[in-house]
Amino acid sequence: MTKKVWGGRFTEDINEVVDTFHSSLSFDKRLYSQDIDGSTAHCRMLSKKGIIPEDEATEIINALADIKREMARGGLSAGDDYEDIHTLVEKALIEKVGQKGEKVHTGRSRNDQVALDTRLYVREAITRAKRLIKGLQVSLVNLAEKNITVLMPGYTHLQPAQPVLLSHHLLAYYEMLKRDYARFSDCTKRVNVLPLGSAALAGTTFDLDRSMVAEELGFDSISDNSMDAVSDRDFVLEYLFAASVLMMHLSRLSEEIVLWSTREFGFVILPDAFCTGSSIMPQKKNPDVLELIRGKTGRVYGNLMGLLTTMKGLPLTYNKDMQEDKEGLFDTVDTIEQCLMVLSLLISEMRFNSEKMLNATEEGHLMATDLADYLVNKGMTFRNAHEIVGKVVLFAIDEKRTLKQLTLQELQSFSRQITDDVYSWLEPASAVTRRNLHGGTGTEAVKKSLERAKKEMAS
Ligand code: ARG
């Protein structure tokens, strides 16, 4: 068994089962580059402050760079027999430069070290998430542009409600993703704070230059309370929350596409390359990718709930419970990145059956609201118009005809104010010529939204 960094006051070796149980190396090895970057910046500062000799610092820094390259190439060269990534890197360093390598841990604890590594990791994860969100937004904008005039039923309660433009529907997701992007950006403010210099919990007796380390590592500020800095995992929770809301949006979009690709809807033709078949039913083409995105939302929520629960009863400051922050975080990072990537590809290859969508706007009396508005334009109150159109719809359902298939005489039996111009008013396509107020589904309004989105994507 390798010697423990804390072994001095112990007379017995750690129990082997416990050793495996408490080790985090199997997952925190992912933090090797952040850990080495942190140690490098810390070491440079120690030397600048005269806490360790310059020549030794140079040797340590060069060795750390070698270790980073080796780890990037071949994974972990020093074996798996270490407690965590911090001890592993330290041991690898000592193997290279001898005992002076131990000096890198001057004025530092693994408690502020792990907080630092995790912050660096989350910061990078945010950058990647934002890039991928933008990629999906671009796919949605392109798809909306390609289908700018396609008409479809809009739904409430999953009941056909009013005709809308497909492009308007797609751009609704663009807006959600815009907020997701902003949420990730916003949490960067609180992620990008340097905890190093807090040491175990109380700060350190060494005269560290924390601002120098912050600057070297690209942090905007340094933490103001050492006890808070080693205890705080809010920044992980914020990332997990932003990821959860993002997944909720991806899941809703996936669910809609699944629905649209059913035989019953038939609005969407999914690319074969994104579907799978059945081992027994030869006719099947299943939307697995979308179902997986919907399904993976559960684990992302779970990771958020898990860490919230882990943190809720912890006394200050560091407690080993907090090691449990990592697997859920890493899993969430992997999950959202995969989902964003695959969904963006699928969206760019999706095709619509615009005829089927248009036909669907002819069923279900989607023009009822427009007919009521028509009567209001003729001077009626909306409540009265609503009542009358309700009766017209009942009649049409009975007759198994659409509103515009009713004769003028029939329509006039409900209201004398209805005249011949009602038929052009009742064309589903005309519904999107009348809703050009900001944010509406009118063709002109949607074109403006599209232009706005394209400008945003270019900036
Ligand atoms: N593996 C530990 C974690 O992830 C590193 C910090 C260890 N600190 C300690 N006092 N045991 O939380």
Side-chain angles (χ1 to χ4, degrees):
M1 190 172 299
T2 48
K3 196 166 152 283
K4 299 295 177 196
V5 286
W6 37 258
R9 63 98 63 222
F10 286 77
T11 53
E12 274 180 55
D13 273 352
I14 191 168
N15 176 295
E16 256 175 60
V17 177
V18 174
D19 202 32
T20 311
F21 180 66
H22 89 137
S23 170
S24 54
L25 188 59
S26 63
F27 49 89
D28 69 12
K29 59 187 172 195
R30 204 192 261 239
L31 297 174
Y32 79 88
S33 78
Q34 291 80 4
D35 196 73
I36 292 172
D37 290 349
S39 291
T40 305
H42 183 62
C43 186
R44 218 188 300 282
M45 180 275 295
L46 290 176
S47 136
K48 164 118 185 296
K49 294 294 287 181
I51 298 167
I52 62 175
E54 203 182 316
D55 57 331
E56 289 186 1
T58 308
E59 215 183 317
I60 290 172
I61 289 168
N62 290 340
L64 284 171
D66 287 343
I67 295 167
K68 189 169 164 180
R69 266 192 298 276
E70 280 163 29
M71 287 187 171
R73 251 200 324 269
L76 302 166
S77 50
D80 278 341
D81 193 20
Y82 288 95
E83 194 172 315
D84 53 33
I85 188 63
H86 325 296
T87 40
L88 172 58
V89 170
E90 192 179 311
K91 290 293 165 188
L93 178 63
I94 291 162
E95 263 170 37
K96 279 196 191 295
V97 303
Q99 223 183 345
K100 58 174 138 357
E102 293 174 359
K103 293 188 181 176
V104 76
H105 212 53
T106 311
R108 189 177 73 172
S109 153
R110 279 182 296 161
N111 296 353
D112 58 348
Q113 190 178 358
V114 74
L116 170 73
D117 295 1
T118 312
R119 283 175 183 272
L120 287 171
Y121 177 83
V122 171
R123 191 173 77 186
E124 290 165 26
I126 288 173
T127 305
R128 288 194 303 274
K130 283 166 66 179
R131 206 184 49 235
L132 289 166
I133 289 173
K134 215 162 173 183
L136 178 56
Q137 285 181 297
V138 169
S139 302
L140 281 166
V141 167
N142 290 340
L143 192 65
E145 189 167 35
K146 238 192 286 174
N147 295 280
I148 179 98
T149 56
V150 173
L151 207 60
M152 69 177 291
Y155 299 83
T156 65
H157 313 267
L158 203 51
Q159 304 289 329
Q162 292 175 352
V164 293
L165 289 176
L166 167 61
S167 45
H168 193 52
H169 196 134
L170 294 172
L171 289 177
Y173 285 99
Y174 171 85
E175 294 296 328
M176 295 174 223
L177 291 168
K178 202 158 92 182
R179 293 192 296 277
D180 289 324
Y181 186 97
R183 247 184 296 277
F184 279 110
S185 287
D186 190 55
C187 87
T188 307
K189 287 180 216 148
R190 285 168 296 278
V191 170
N192 212 21
V193 180
L194 177 86
L196 214 62
S198 305
L201 75 159
T204 171
T205 56
F206 296 98
D207 181 26
L208 306 183
D209 184 348
R210 298 187 63 204
S211 300
M212 175 183 166
V213 178
E215 194 172 326
E216 172 154 352
L217 292 173
F219 284 100
D220 297 322
S221 59
I222 61 178
S223 57
D224 291 326
N225 182 304
S226 62
M227 296 181 77
D228 175 43
V230 294
S231 305
D232 166 33
R233 293 295 181 271
D234 308 8
F235 66 97
V236 178
L237 288 167
E238 281 196 53
Y239 176 90
L240 295 177
F241 174 71
S244 295
V245 180
L246 167 72
M247 284 305 292
M248 181 265 292
H249 290 148
L250 301 191
S251 181
R252 291 183 76 173
L253 176 54
S254 298
E255 166 59 15
E256 291 214 290
I257 304 173
V258 168
L259 207 59
W260 292 350
S261 72
T262 57
R263 224 197 62 79
E264 289 74 5
F265 273 79
F267 291 175
V268 155
I269 302 114
L270 290 175
D272 274 7
F274 289 79
C275 297
T276 62
S278 155
S279 59
I280 175 168
M281 299 165 284
Q283 85 284 11
K284 290 296 290 279
K285 177 174 159 185
N286 297 327
D288 297 39
V289 162
L290 299 158
E291 292 168 318
L292 271 174
I293 294 171
R294 204 174 54 190
K296 284 176 189 292
T297 305
R299 66 200 283 167
V300 172
Y301 289 4
N303 292 334
L304 170 63
M305 275 317 295
L307 185 58
L308 277 170
T309 311
T310 295
M311 296 303 293
K312 87 178 200 1
L314 298 188
L316 299 187
T317 54
Y318 179 83
N319 301 270
K320 191 75 169 220
D321 313 47
M322 287 153 68
Q323 176 167 292
E324 288 294 308
D325 62 353
K326 282 170 214 64
E327 285 158 292
L329 169 64
F330 297 156
D331 181 64
T332 295
V333 168
D334 292 344
T335 303
I336 68 165
E337 290 179 6
Q338 273 187 324
C339 289
L340 284 165
M341 224 162 341
V342 73
L343 189 56
S344 172
L345 289 171
L346 183 147
I347 296 268
S348 16
E349 293 191 27
M350 215 163 89
R351 282 180 302 117
F352 289 98
N353 186 342
S354 52
E355 207 181 300
K356 195 100 197 248
M357 293 175 117
L358 180 66
N359 290 343
T361 64
E362 301 279 357
E363 295 154 19
H365 308 294
L366 276 81
M367 294 305 283
T369 312
D370 284 63
L371 181 56
D373 287 352
Y374 170 91
L375 290 172
V376 170
N377 281 323
K378 301 262 166 161
M380 219 178 264
T381 66
F382 186 78
R383 282 293 151 233
N384 192 16
H386 188 288
E387 174 77 19
I388 289 170
V389 176
K391 296 213 160 73
V392 179
V393 168
L394 208 57
F395 177 74
I397 291 171
D398 218 37
E399 289 284 312
K400 295 189 173 56
R401 280 187 279 161
T402 67
L403 296 181
K404 65 178 189 191
Q405 283 167 345
L406 302 180
T407 66
L408 188 58
Q409 211 178 10
E410 285 166 335
L411 287 168
Q412 282 175 341
S413 72
F414 292 93
S415 166
R416 304 300 309 164
Q417 265 137 310
I418 298 177
T419 52
D420 206 32
D421 59 352
V422 77
Y423 291 104
S424 62
W425 188 276
L426 285 178
E427 278 303 323
S430 73
V432 297
T433 62
R434 288 191 283 265
R435 288 178 169 81
N436 281 317
L437 74 173
H438 183 90
T441 193
T443 314
E444 291 314 310
V446 174
K447 275 185 184 154
K448 273 190 203 146
S449 297
L450 197 59
E451 286 317 307
R452 201 168 44 242
K454 278 161 69 180
K455 233 183 256 154
E456 283 162 1
M457 288 298 91
S459 72

